[in-house]
Amino acid sequence: MQTLDKPLQQEIDQPLTIAGKSFNSRLMTGTGKYRTLEQMQQSILACGCEIVTVAVRRVQTQAPGHEGLAEAIDWKKIWMLPNTAGCQNAEDAIRVARLGREMAKLLGQEDNNFVKLEVIPDPKYLLPDPIGTLEAAEKLVKEGFAVLPYINADPLLAKRLEEVGCATVMPLGSPIGSGQGIKNAANIQIIIDNAKVPVVVDAGIGTPSEAATAMEMGADALLINSAIALAGQPAMMAKAMGMATQAGRLAYLSGRIPIKNYATASSPVTGTINS
Amino acid sequence: MQTLDKPLQQEIDQPLTIAGKSFNSRLMTGTGKYRTLEQMQQSILACGCEIVTVAVRRVQTQAPGHEGLAEAIDWKKIWMLPNTAGCQNAEDAIRVARLGREMAKLLGQEDNNFVKLEVIPDPKYLLPDPIGTLEAAEKLVKEGFAVLPYINADPLLAKRLEEVGCATVMPLGSPIGSGQGIKNAANIQIIIDNAKVPVVVDAGIGTPSEAATAMEMGADALLINSAIALAGQPAMMAKAMGMATQAGRLAYLSGRIPIKNYATASSPVTGTINS
Amino acid sequence: MQTLDKPLQQEIDQPLTIAGKSFNSRLMTGTGKYRTLEQMQQSILACGCEIVTVAVRRVQTQAPGHEGLAEAIDWKKIWMLPNTAGCQNAEDAIRVARLGREMAKLLGQEDNNFVKLEVIPDPKYLLPDPIGTLEAAEKLVKEGFAVLPYINADPLLAKRLEEVGCATVMPLGSPIGSGQGIKNAANIQIIIDNAKVPVVVDAGIGTPSEAATAMEMGADALLINSAIALAGQPAMMAKAMGMATQAGRLAYLSGRIPIKNYATASSPVTGTINS
Amino acid sequence: MQTLDKPLQQEIDQPLTIAGKSFNSRLMTGTGKYRTLEQMQQSILACGCEIVTVAVRRVQTQAPGHEGLAEAIDWKKIWMLPNTAGCQNAEDAIRVARLGREMAKLLGQEDNNFVKLEVIPDPKYLLPDPIGTLEAAEKLVKEGFAVLPYINADPLLAKRLEEVGCATVMPLGSPIGSGQGIKNAANIQIIIDNAKVPVVVDAGIGTPSEAATAMEMGADALLINSAIALAGQPAMMAKAMGMATQAGRLAYLSGRIPIKNYATASSPVTGTINS
């Protein structure tokens, strides 16, 4: 891979910019579900991510088996994205968002005002509530948060959230942890085609091919947790996801060939055989 | 990507071995359709491939615009895979295979007995003839060729070709150059699950996500030409294809998460909020 | 078809019941886009529908080429479903819903309180606004309407609408008139599995196979307009859609075979040939 | 359904003609796997089929539980399609085809020279052998049979079989009894677009929507067995399959709407609200 080394790619591509902060990696990961903290650490390294999301409530309550999670990550290198997992309504989410900001400060990220907003009343599918999410987003934006809302792939809701000042929109590909892939592709494409903020595809991605698919569609970034943490070999899958995210981005920038009904010869032969 | 560097991956994975010859890269490319020889050279470098297929008839006849193609590649580093593109029946293909062996020798690969066998009577879809392919394969194997036959994704035909001694089978994902992706996935999966020779998915792949998909299914290698050569920026797409091939392979080795109907919380919360 | 004639099917199946009113047909159609009123009349007859939706604003304003539309349908046999097409916000939709009720009364349906609620600010994709739809639905329910809201396939929004008293939910398969089919199948399935009101798949269906697919998933009914009105032969397509809706419903009631990875012999042979 | 009654449809459509014999129904069924002979009889009636395939070897050997099968069908109304299920090579299949012709004669169909040719060496996927099938087909055609070969969806093989005089080609959608649906759609479409004999999609169809899909693609007929025989309620599913086959055919004749990326309003509103 001599010819297209990092400098070249960076000339072509722009960094991912969210709320004024720039990142080279377009893959975000999480901290949940890993079998060991060591696997989490290795996976974060292997995928090359620069943003890691953390469930504020779990860290606050030191949920069993997750002690020391916040300390296990080098927050000088990784940007924390506190999330409001476990919140079933707008008020809870707002309260937890504030706790998250405190947590980031305590861990040394004084200027971190990011929050991944999850308002999820439903425990079975873990699908977000559009009304509660919009309500919480409006309030958090007014409080100065950079809000990254987790939403169903509803283009009108995405537009509303953008209008109230959200920093990104994060439509889901399929239910969290389901590994079903990009089930809402048509709607996600409409969101991508119309958004003026970064679109981060979140939830549902199970394989590198699905990660690449989302990036080829023009998504600005991805968030992948379960597919890495619960893979047979998390760090190896993490590396695969990092490569696929880059591959999908490069393909989006390169311009794919058109899809044709018929074949086109790779090697047209106009001459005859000289034998 | 410090933790999972090349040595670690190589410990886990085996090289691709075809007819006793081993390769680290699992992506093969072609030489057709490039707008310039320079783009071809850059793309071959960018994707990291070690096997490149060449249409023997085109090189023999010095088809317009392709003069110097054979000389443009460093055959000390790249293994030539002569192909029989343009042959409509078994006899033609056998004759061109022999020419290909001569060509490889002339270019310095004395021991190269590889041939990508294409018997394609149909100019519209460029689909291979199963009967002619089997007939030519049998004869070429007897002549000492390592035969890599291009076939429709027919599991029984694949088995027959393996039984007559082919070195691989190369089922097509969709018609050559169509960029339709993996349209025969169910049959290709059956071929993969039952083959004792390497399965190389050939033709139809249009994007890195499709390349990764084939590798995640367990394909041993891929051959991609049009999707690189005709991309907006061939070398960048070549790099993307190389990364996606690796990502798909790593994912296959890692073990993906199961697909679930319902969600699974990334961040289960058992405690309550302390606020 | 002697054995499973109508009586038998009706013993097994229940009628479709919306807001206390029962219907034998599970296919609803529209009045827009037909080339002639005669084609509309023939199509309504051919598909066997009992509910037809009418754009209140178009009828009120006697939009060019659509004079006499309301009079062209036999409202003694067909139940009118006034819709609020063309309304971009909740207030407009509420006002038009009231006009629709007046229109139904004038045409002889004194007790018709149905309204298909469409709040569509976006002219390109014609996707509904979840916030405005919920707001209008709440108010219209309080005014005594049987509200059938047109929504994106968002399970949480569907649940909210059910909770405020809507008579059905009408998730879209894909954008209106796009003929893309059921692009939101995963979400629609979640809605079906959890709804306590009838689920009517609306918009996007382009073919009978797609109509059958939605019914096989367990949808209670369908609304199809463009795919019939703009078909080459509308009445023939209408008949096909009617049959496919019934076929899909019967299949749902029958219980389909499980999907298997491997084959199962249709005709297992245990003996040997006597020849 | 007053407007488009049978006469009208028949004016538009042609009957299905195979080897000079015409049929009104485009759905063929089988006799295997039913739980009772009565369910088989009811299903045959319910789906309206006119051709039923019978495994010659099973009838010859009176396989357990299937005594009286041949006598259970009214061969004055139903055209028998003897099949060579259980044959692993060309010789066996030829021998069983001859037995089938005798069987048809004994049951009163003197002029019945049809045979559904199955050459299936593989017991796991039940996929046909292309080489053995072509070999047997050539010989059977020369013996005066109307040969309907069961094949993988290989367009070149289909063309070869047509050239040696087969009466139809019968590409499989997916493995027999798998209920996976139409997995080889791209190849089947190529076969349909190029065949000069009827194309009968055989094997794999699990639901009415899949039956309709194949017919919408332009298939001339379908053969469905497992999806009916093993459904929860076979006769009801049979009826559904019969309706879906007709619906798909009508849609093919009607001309579907084009698929669009964007929406098209069902009810364009040009006026303003008069309220």
Side-chain angles (χ1 to χ4, degrees):
Chain A
M1 303 190 188
Q2 296 105 309
T3 51
L4 258 183
D5 45 8
K6 269 205 167 168
L8 176 51
Q9 183 182 339
Q10 283 172 357
E11 277 170 42
I12 298 160
D13 202 0
Q14 308 290 326
L16 170 68
T17 302
I18 299 175
K21 195 161 171 62
S22 291
F23 305 91
N24 287 315
S25 168
R26 290 174 178 274
L27 173 59
M28 310 175 186
T29 59
T31 52
K33 297 186 180 174
Y34 283 99
R35 289 180 285 266
T36 67
L37 285 181
E38 197 188 3
Q39 283 190 346
M40 183 188 79
Q41 291 170 315
Q42 288 180 336
S43 298
I44 288 172
L45 277 170
C47 72
C49 68
E50 296 169 23
I51 299 176
V52 170
T53 191
V54 174
V56 177
R57 289 184 67 178
R58 185 169 52 178
V59 172
Q60 291 283 328
T61 59
Q62 302 211 338
H66 300 92
E67 303 84 354
L69 184 145
E71 293 72 22
I73 295 173
D74 182 354
W75 298 113
K76 292 207 181 69
K77 294 181 181 167
I78 300 290
W79 186 250
M80 180 185 291
L81 176 55
N83 71 56
T84 65
C87 295
Q88 300 194 329
N89 55 52
E91 298 88 63
D92 272 9
I94 291 167
R95 198 163 37 156
V96 171
R98 292 173 190 146
L99 291 173
R101 186 152 56 176
E102 294 310 309
M103 188 172 78
K105 276 185 190 157
L106 284 172
L107 291 165
Q109 300 193 348
E110 283 292 326
D111 59 335
N112 189 335
N113 64 337
F114 279 40
V115 63
K116 179 171 181 247
L117 175 60
E118 302 185 16
V119 179
I120 301 181
D122 142 51
K124 184 172 182 185
Y125 303 99
L126 296 175
L127 293 172
D129 173 27
I131 314 298
T133 302
L134 180 60
E135 183 190 332
E138 281 196 83
K139 290 184 182 159
L140 289 168
V141 167
K142 284 179 187 158
E143 292 189 19
F145 282 91
V147 180
L148 295 81
Y150 171 64
I151 58 169
N152 209 313
D154 181 332
L156 269 286
L157 178 64
K159 187 49 73 181
R160 287 248 187 182
L161 287 160
E162 183 183 315
E163 287 166 358
V164 302
C166 286
T168 67
V169 288
M170 303 186 76
L172 62 97
S174 52
I176 292 175
S178 70
Q180 293 176 16
I182 313 293
K183 291 287 188 186
N184 297 316
N187 275 359
I188 290 176
Q189 190 67 65
I190 295 174
I191 293 174
I192 290 171
D193 292 348
N194 292 279
K196 297 197 182 78
V197 293
V199 177
V200 185
V201 174
D202 182 16
I205 290 173
T207 59
S209 59
E210 293 160 3
T213 296
M215 295 305 293
E216 291 162 5
M217 289 168 64
D220 295 279
L222 310 177
L223 196 157
I224 302 175
N225 182 13
S226 303
I228 294 171
L230 294 173
Q233 304 207 40
M236 188 155 48
M237 186 60 89
K239 185 176 177 187
M241 290 296 190
M243 295 174 85
T245 304
Q246 285 185 57
R249 180 67 181 176
L250 283 173
Y252 172 74
L253 296 171
S254 303
R256 65 156 294 161
I257 56 170
I259 298 172
K260 296 178 187 174
N261 282 330
Y262 301 135
T264 314
S266 277
S267 312
V269 174
T270 53
T272 51
I273 307 176
N274 301 317
S275 60
Chain B
M1 303 189 188
Q2 293 106 308
T3 50
L4 258 183
D5 46 8
K6 267 202 167 169
L8 175 50
Q9 183 183 340
Q10 283 172 359
E11 277 170 42
I12 299 161
D13 202 1
Q14 308 290 325
L16 170 69
T17 303
I18 299 175
K21 195 161 172 62
S22 291
F23 306 91
N24 287 316
S25 169
R26 290 173 178 274
L27 173 59
M28 311 176 186
T29 59
T31 52
K33 296 186 180 173
Y34 284 97
R35 289 180 284 266
T36 67
L37 285 182
E38 197 188 4
Q39 283 190 345
M40 183 188 77
Q41 292 170 314
Q42 288 180 336
S43 297
I44 289 172
L45 278 171
C47 72
C49 67
E50 296 169 24
I51 299 176
V52 170
T53 191
V54 174
V56 177
R57 289 183 66 178
R58 185 169 52 177
V59 172
Q60 292 283 327
T61 58
Q62 302 209 340
H66 300 92
E67 303 85 353
L69 183 145
E71 292 74 22
I73 294 173
D74 182 352
W75 298 113
K76 292 206 181 69
K77 295 182 180 165
I78 300 290
W79 186 249
M80 180 185 291
L81 176 56
N83 71 57
T84 66
C87 295
Q88 300 194 329
N89 54 52
E91 299 87 63
D92 272 9
I94 291 166
R95 199 165 33 157
V96 170
R98 292 174 190 145
L99 292 174
R101 186 151 58 177
E102 294 310 309
M103 189 172 76
K105 276 185 190 154
L106 284 172
L107 291 165
Q109 300 193 349
E110 283 293 326
D111 59 336
N112 189 335
N113 64 340
F114 280 41
V115 63
K116 179 171 181 245
L117 175 60
E118 301 185 18
V119 179
I120 300 182
D122 142 51
K124 183 171 181 185
Y125 303 100
L126 296 174
L127 293 173
D129 173 27
I131 314 298
T133 302
L134 179 60
E135 184 190 333
E138 280 195 84
K139 291 185 180 158
L140 289 168
V141 167
K142 283 179 188 158
E143 292 190 19
F145 282 91
V147 180
L148 295 80
Y150 171 64
I151 58 169
N152 209 313
D154 181 331
L156 269 286
L157 178 65
K159 187 51 73 182
R160 287 249 187 182
L161 288 161
E162 183 183 315
E163 287 166 359
V164 303
C166 286
T168 67
V169 287
M170 302 185 76
L172 62 97
S174 53
I176 293 175
S178 70
Q180 293 176 17
I182 313 294
K183 291 287 189 186
N184 296 318
N187 275 0
I188 289 176
Q189 190 67 67
I190 295 174
I191 293 174
I192 290 171
D193 292 348
N194 291 279
K196 297 197 183 76
V197 293
V199 177
V200 185
V201 174
D202 182 16
I205 289 173
T207 60
S209 58
E210 293 159 4
T213 295
M215 295 305 293
E216 291 162 6
M217 289 167 63
D220 296 279
L222 309 177
L223 197 158
I224 301 174
N225 183 11
S226 303
I228 294 172
L230 295 173
Q233 304 208 39
M236 187 155 48
M237 185 61 89
K239 184 177 178 186
M241 290 296 190
M243 295 174 84
T245 304
Q246 286 186 57
R249 180 66 181 176
L250 284 173
Y252 173 73
L253 296 170
S254 303
R256 64 157 292 160
I257 56 169
I259 297 172
K260 296 179 187 173
N261 282 329
Y262 302 135
T264 313
S266 277
S267 311
V269 174
T270 54
T272 50
I273 306 177
N274 302 318
S275 59
Chain C
M1 304 191 187
Q2 293 105 310
T3 50
L4 258 183
D5 44 11
K6 269 203 166 167
L8 177 51
Q9 182 184 340
Q10 284 172 357
E11 277 170 41
I12 298 161
D13 202 0
Q14 308 290 327
L16 169 68
T17 303
I18 299 175
K21 194 161 173 62
S22 291
F23 306 91
N24 287 315
S25 169
R26 289 173 179 274
L27 174 59
M28 311 176 186
T29 59
T31 51
K33 295 186 180 174
Y34 283 99
R35 289 180 284 267
T36 66
L37 285 182
E38 197 187 4
Q39 283 190 345
M40 182 188 78
Q41 291 170 316
Q42 288 179 336
S43 297
I44 289 173
L45 278 170
C47 71
C49 68
E50 296 169 23
I51 299 177
V52 170
T53 191
V54 174
V56 176
R57 289 183 66 179
R58 185 168 52 178
V59 171
Q60 291 284 327
T61 58
Q62 302 211 340
H66 299 92
E67 304 85 354
L69 184 146
E71 293 73 23
I73 295 173
D74 182 352
W75 298 112
K76 292 206 181 70
K77 294 181 181 166
I78 299 291
W79 186 250
M80 179 185 291
L81 176 56
N83 71 57
T84 65
C87 296
Q88 300 194 331
N89 55 52
E91 299 86 65
D92 272 9
I94 291 167
R95 198 163 37 156
V96 170
R98 291 174 192 146
L99 292 173
R101 186 152 59 177
E102 294 310 309
M103 189 172 76
K105 276 186 190 154
L106 284 173
L107 291 166
Q109 299 192 349
E110 283 293 326
D111 59 336
N112 189 334
N113 64 338
F114 279 40
V115 64
K116 179 170 181 247
L117 175 60
E118 302 184 17
V119 179
I120 300 181
D122 142 51
K124 182 171 183 185
Y125 304 99
L126 296 175
L127 291 173
D129 173 28
I131 315 298
T133 302
L134 180 59
E135 183 190 333
E138 280 196 83
K139 290 186 180 157
L140 288 169
V141 167
K142 284 179 187 157
E143 293 189 19
F145 282 91
V147 180
L148 295 80
Y150 171 64
I151 58 170
N152 210 313
D154 181 330
L156 269 286
L157 179 64
K159 186 52 71 181
R160 287 249 187 180
L161 287 162
E162 183 183 315
E163 286 166 0
V164 303
C166 286
T168 67
V169 287
M170 303 185 76
L172 62 97
S174 54
I176 292 175
S178 70
Q180 293 176 16
I182 312 293
K183 291 287 188 186
N184 297 316
N187 275 359
I188 290 176
Q189 190 68 65
I190 295 175
I191 293 174
I192 290 171
D193 291 348
N194 292 279
K196 297 197 183 77
V197 293
V199 177
V200 185
V201 174
D202 182 15
I205 290 174
T207 59
S209 58
E210 294 160 2
T213 295
M215 295 305 293
E216 290 162 6
M217 289 168 63
D220 296 280
L222 309 177
L223 196 158
I224 302 174
N225 182 13
S226 302
I228 294 172
L230 294 173
Q233 304 206 40
M236 187 155 48
M237 187 59 90
K239 184 176 177 186
M241 290 295 190
M243 294 174 85
T245 304
Q246 286 186 57
R249 179 68 182 176
L250 283 173
Y252 172 73
L253 296 171
S254 302
R256 66 157 292 160
I257 56 170
I259 297 172
K260 295 177 187 174
N261 283 329
Y262 300 135
T264 313
S266 278
S267 312
V269 174
T270 54
T272 52
I273 307 176
N274 302 317
S275 59
Chain D
M1 304 190 189
Q2 293 106 308
T3 50
L4 258 184
D5 45 8
K6 270 202 166 170
L8 176 52
Q9 183 183 340
Q10 283 172 358
E11 276 170 43
I12 300 161
D13 202 1
Q14 307 291 325
L16 169 69
T17 302
I18 299 174
K21 193 159 171 65
S22 291
F23 306 90
N24 287 315
S25 169
R26 289 172 179 275
L27 174 59
M28 312 177 185
T29 59
T31 51
K33 297 186 180 175
Y34 283 98
R35 290 181 282 266
T36 67
L37 285 181
E38 197 187 3
Q39 283 190 345
M40 183 188 78
Q41 292 170 314
Q42 288 180 336
S43 298
I44 289 172
L45 278 171
C47 72
C49 68
E50 295 170 23
I51 299 176
V52 171
T53 190
V54 174
V56 176
R57 288 184 66 180
R58 184 169 53 178
V59 171
Q60 292 283 326
T61 59
Q62 303 211 339
H66 300 91
E67 304 85 354
L69 184 145
E71 293 73 23
I73 294 173
D74 182 353
W75 298 112
K76 292 205 181 70
K77 294 182 180 166
I78 299 290
W79 186 249
M80 180 184 290
L81 176 56
N83 70 58
T84 66
C87 295
Q88 301 195 329
N89 54 52
E91 300 86 65
D92 272 9
I94 292 167
R95 197 164 38 156
V96 170
R98 292 174 190 146
L99 291 174
R101 186 151 59 176
E102 295 310 308
M103 188 173 77
K105 277 185 189 155
L106 283 172
L107 291 165
Q109 300 192 349
E110 282 293 325
D111 59 337
N112 189 334
N113 64 337
F114 280 40
V115 63
K116 177 169 181 246
L117 175 61
E118 302 184 17
V119 179
I120 300 181
D122 142 51
K124 183 171 181 184
Y125 303 99
L126 296 174
L127 292 172
D129 173 28
I131 315 298
T133 302
L134 180 59
E135 184 190 334
E138 281 195 84
K139 291 185 180 158
L140 288 169
V141 167
K142 284 178 186 157
E143 292 190 20
F145 281 91
V147 180
L148 296 79
Y150 171 63
I151 58 170
N152 209 313
D154 181 330
L156 268 288
L157 179 65
K159 186 51 72 181
R160 286 250 187 180
L161 287 161
E162 183 183 316
E163 286 166 359
V164 302
C166 286
T168 67
V169 287
M170 302 185 77
L172 62 96
S174 54
I176 293 175
S178 70
Q180 292 176 17
I182 313 294
K183 291 286 189 186
N184 297 317
N187 275 359
I188 290 176
Q189 189 68 64
I190 295 174
I191 294 174
I192 290 171
D193 291 348
N194 291 279
K196 297 198 182 77
V197 293
V199 177
V200 185
V201 174
D202 183 14
I205 289 174
T207 59
S209 58
E210 293 160 3
T213 295
M215 295 305 293
E216 290 161 7
M217 289 168 64
D220 295 280
L222 310 177
L223 196 157
I224 302 174
N225 182 13
S226 302
I228 294 172
L230 294 173
Q233 304 207 39
M236 187 155 49
M237 186 61 89
K239 184 176 177 186
M241 290 296 191
M243 294 173 85
T245 305
Q246 285 185 57
R249 179 67 181 176
L250 284 173
Y252 172 74
L253 296 171
S254 303
R256 66 156 291 160
I257 55 169
I259 297 173
K260 296 178 188 173
N261 283 329
Y262 301 136
T264 313
S266 277
S267 311
V269 174
T270 53
T272 50
I273 306 176
N274 301 317
S275 58

